[in-house]
């Protein structure tokens, strides 16, 4: 039996009038952007304008939107807390982000952009068959709803901690505002609102960094304290895959995880294909990489500043807060206790990440549902009715995603919860698209079997880890002191009676203890290996039956010295064909029953107005503008 001292929490002020004004301004401006685009685009009634912005966006706002959407409240609240507890190894994601953007822009994006699709899952029907597309779409919908629940819950928890607002009132307010401007303004409203919200996120981080640094003796002192507290031990090259964070788990596992988020995720690709040219889309991704780096650096340094401030009195260990994700808002309310308005700016920063992510998710969910299901069920919809159905889907998914926040309260830390969800669902999806784009021999049976195998493996390890958490020795936080917390000697916390550990199966300390960052790699590799094996057993695809447009011949990079070797790796796909399309893509889609008489344009994601462009390539800008009419040689 043991007892603990009852620590007295310091007085932490709540919101004042100026904080409410700053915070409310975020919601007002975000909603106003939705209203603006609803009015501006009122004469454009097509679902294409609503869902992909008419494919006339430029790289600047798209880059800002991508950064804001994926650097959500999970980053604002979770990453500083991770650094505070485990050290600055999180900065290694700098490497993972770099690889992710390179692979996305050079491997996946060209295929998606040139295929003229709206939903990434249209590609799967063009490359394989409809059952593969349907299965992938359903998995994506589940993944996005689960993830969105986490990012809705995170800032609501922060707001509850610092202001005393009702937690679920905050959750529903977030969902209502996101659904409002997403439904009114479509993708353009989402993109421009994201750009505004990214500015708020950066301002919030910078304000915390500047004030925290000034109060804790300057950058040099903070660095020394972090070093003495072992927070700067970044490069741990232990290859043990059960360790929560090492160089390898973050660099390799993080690359797989974020590639599943970026490379094949509808939310990302939808905004990239909304750009008016492939060159603009690639530029948006590389500019977005700079934004990812900036947010990551701000979040990591915020964690170091927070550790410097609480080095002798950890509020979590002392019981002043109930969860590690509350560390950042508690820190903010402490350092800004005499600065009205600045706590409101930080909470607006956290909510900016959430609003951008939730709105992008709602828009992406509406897009894949409309393109992959509604258009197949109701092929003769008018443009006006299509737009109204798209808006109705935004309302439905806004409601569902907001409701999922209740489940997020049971998932633990927001960073691990969100990346675990992406790993379990995104990894198999990454494997599926890799099979289609990189391996011409893969047939639809192999693709479907690979997807199911990858999902099974990823959920097996993910759910097993949730039920049987890894031993603390594999994920032990660094030392946190409470030596200078104020102590109330008049009371004692109730004694704690040790309990016997629950039964743990044999896999609990091995398979179920795998680092959560490897869930994506498990799902991806399981999908690829199974897909290739099943394809060879059931008869691999013949290259001459596959359009070169659907394959990215990466083997050219490794076999550049030998044309014979390249041709062998192409598996019969004619990547050397130099002739341009003559305006007809009727052989692009294999389903003859879906072709209307006299219509040479494929109907699954390729718009009829593509016929107006004889080529999809602008030699002046050296970039593709419309993707069904272009050369079939990539290199």
């Amino acid at each position: 039996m043991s007892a603990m001292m009852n620590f007295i929490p310091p007085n932490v002020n709540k919101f004042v009038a100026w904080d409410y004004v700053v915070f409310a301004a975020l919601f007002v401006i975000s909603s106003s952007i939705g209203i603006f685009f609803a009015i501006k685009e009122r004469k454009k009634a097509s679902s294409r304008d609503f869902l992909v912005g008419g494919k006339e966006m430029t790289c600047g706002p798209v880059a800002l939107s991508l950064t804001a959407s994926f650097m959500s409240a999970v980053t604002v609240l979770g990453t500083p807390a991770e650094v505070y507890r485990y050290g600055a190894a999180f900065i290694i994601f700098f490497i993972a982000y770099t690889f992710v953007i390179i692979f996305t822009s050079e491997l996946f994006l060209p295929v998606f952009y040139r295929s003229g699709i709206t939903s990434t899952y249209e590609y799967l029907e063009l490359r394989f068959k409809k059952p593969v597309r349907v299965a992938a779409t359903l998995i994506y919908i589940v993944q996005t709803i689960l993830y969105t629940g986490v990012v809705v819950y995170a800032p609501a928890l922060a707001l509850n901690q610092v202001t005393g607002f009702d937690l679920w009132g905050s959750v529903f307010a977030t969902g209502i505002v996101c659904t409002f401007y997403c439904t009114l303004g479509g993708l353009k409203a989402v993109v421009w609102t994201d750009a505004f919200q990214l500015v708020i996120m950066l301002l919030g981080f910078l304000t915390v960094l500047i004030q925290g640094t000034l109060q804790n003796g300057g950058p040099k002192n903070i660095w020394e304290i972090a070093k003495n507290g072992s927070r700067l031990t970044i490069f741990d090259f232990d290859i043990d895959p059960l360790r929560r964070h090492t160089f390898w788990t973050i660099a390799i596992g993080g690359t797989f995880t974020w590639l599943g988020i970026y490379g094949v995720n509808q939310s990302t690709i939808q905004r990239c294909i909304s750009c008016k040219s492939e060159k603009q889309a690639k530029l948006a991704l590389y500019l977005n990489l700079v934004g990812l780096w900036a947010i990551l650096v701000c979040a990591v340094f915020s964690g170091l500043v927070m550790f410097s401030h609480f080095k002798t009195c950890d509020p979590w260990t002392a019981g002043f807060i109930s969860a590690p994700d509350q560390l950042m808002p508690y820190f903010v309310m402490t350092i800004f206790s005499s600065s009205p308005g600045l706590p409101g700016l930080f909470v607006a920063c956290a909510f900016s990440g959430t609003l951008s992510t939730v709105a992008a998710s709602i828009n992406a969910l509406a897009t894949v549902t409309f393109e992959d299901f509604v258009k197949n069920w109701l092929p003769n919809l008018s443009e006006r009715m299509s737009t109204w159905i798209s808006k109705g889907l935004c309302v439905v998914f806004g409601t569902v995603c907001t409701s999922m926040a209740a489940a997020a309260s049971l998932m633990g830390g927001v960073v691990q919860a969100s990346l675990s969800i992406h790993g379990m669902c995104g990894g198999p999806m990454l494997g599926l698209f890799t099979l289609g784009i990189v391996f011409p021999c893969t047939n639809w049976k192999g693709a479907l079997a690979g997807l199911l195998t990858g999902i099974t493996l990823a959920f097996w390890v993910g759910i097993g880890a949730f039920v049987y958490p890894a031993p603390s020795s594999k994920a032990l936080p660094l030392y946190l002191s409470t030596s200078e917390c104020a102590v109330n000697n008049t009371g004692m916390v109730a004694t704690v009676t040790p309990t016997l550990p629950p039964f743990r199966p044999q896999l609990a300390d091995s398979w179920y203890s795998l680092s959560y960052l490897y869930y994506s790699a498990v799902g991806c590799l399981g999908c690829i290996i199974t897909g290739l094996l099943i394809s060879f057993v059931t008869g691999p695809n013949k290259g001459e039956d596959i359009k070169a447009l659907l394959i990215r011949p990466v083997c050219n990079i490794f076999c550049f010295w030998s044309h014979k070797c390249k041709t062998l790796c192409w598996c019969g796909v004619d990547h050397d064909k130099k002739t341009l399309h003559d305006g007809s893509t009727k052989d692009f889609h294999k389903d003859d029953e879906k072709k209307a008489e006299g219509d040479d344009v494929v109907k699954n994601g390729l718009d009829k107005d593509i016929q107006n462009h004889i080529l999809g390539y602008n030699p002046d800008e050296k970039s593709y503008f419309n993707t069904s009419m272009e050369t079939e040689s990539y290199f």
Side-chain angles (χ1 to χ4, degrees), residues 353-616:
T354 290
L355 292 174
S356 60
T357 303
V358 175
S361 297
I362 292 171
N363 190 262
L365 286 168
T367 300
V368 298
T369 304
F370 181 79
E371 294 290 335
D372 297 348
F373 295 121
V374 176
K375 283 179 72 173
N376 285 325
W377 296 335
L378 304 170
N380 298 317
L381 285 173
S382 66
E383 285 294 350
R384 185 175 183 83
M385 182 57 67
S386 296
T387 303
W388 279 109
I389 290 176
S390 300
K391 291 185 176 184
L393 289 171
C394 286
V395 174
V396 170
F397 283 116
T399 303
V400 172
C401 290
T402 305
S403 302
M404 272 304 301
S409 62
L410 306 175
M411 293 182 183
V414 292
V415 169
Q416 182 164 339
S418 61
L419 292 183
S420 295
I421 291 168
H422 275 309
M424 289 187 291
C425 296
M429 298 293 284
L430 173 62
L432 176 63
F433 280 100
T434 302
L435 282 172
I437 292 174
V438 178
F439 299 100
C441 59
T442 307
N443 61 30
W444 75 270
K445 295 176 183 177
L448 190 58
L451 176 62
L452 296 178
T453 301
I455 285 289
T456 301
L457 290 173
F459 271 81
W460 179 20
V461 65
I463 294 174
F466 182 79
V467 177
Y468 301 104
S472 58
S473 59
K474 300 298 183 182
L476 193 64
L478 298 173
Y479 177 71
L480 298 167
S481 173
T482 56
S483 60
E484 295 186 15
C485 294
V487 179
N488 178 7
N489 290 316
T490 62
M492 303 289 286
V493 176
T495 57
V496 178
T497 303
T499 58
L500 293 175
F503 167 76
R504 290 175 67 83
Q506 191 173 3
L507 291 175
D509 295 327
S510 53
W511 177 243
Y512 296 157
S513 296
L514 189 70
S515 171
Y516 71 95
L517 289 174
Y518 280 134
Y519 296 170
S520 183
V522 167
C524 179
L525 296 177
C527 176
I528 292 174
I529 294 171
T530 303
L532 291 175
L533 288 175
I534 298 297
S535 293
F536 280 109
V537 169
T538 58
N541 268 350
K542 296 180 180 179
E544 57 267 24
D545 296 332
I546 304 172
K547 294 294 293 185
L549 186 70
L550 302 176
I551 305 293
R552 191 74 168 148
V554 294
C555 58
N556 286 12
I557 299 173
F558 307 102
C559 306
F560 60 89
W561 68 88
S562 169
H563 179 74
K564 184 178 180 180
C565 185
K566 284 193 297 184
T567 304
L568 179 66
C569 293
W570 289 343
C571 301
V573 179
D574 190 4
H575 289 293
D576 266 342
K577 186 177 179 180
K578 300 297 183 182
T579 57
L580 299 175
H581 289 279
D582 59 0
S584 171
T585 59
K586 58 187 175 183
D587 59 337
F588 189 48
H589 198 289
K590 302 297 181 184
D591 189 354
D592 293 331
E593 295 179 357
K594 292 189 176 181
K595 286 185 249 178
E597 186 176 354
D599 185 3
D600 289 333
V601 178
V602 79
K603 286 185 177 179
N604 230 339
L606 300 181
D607 298 321
K608 291 183 180 181
D609 58 353
I610 291 178
Q611 288 178 302
N612 297 327
H613 300 269
I614 298 175
L615 304 179

Side-chain angles (χ1 to χ4, degrees), residues 178-197:
C178 289
T179 305
F180 175 76
Y181 72 76
C182 181
T183 303
L184 281 181
L187 183 69
K188 286 186 178 179
V190 171
V191 167
W192 283 104
T193 307
D194 286 351
F196 160 70
Q197 289 160 356

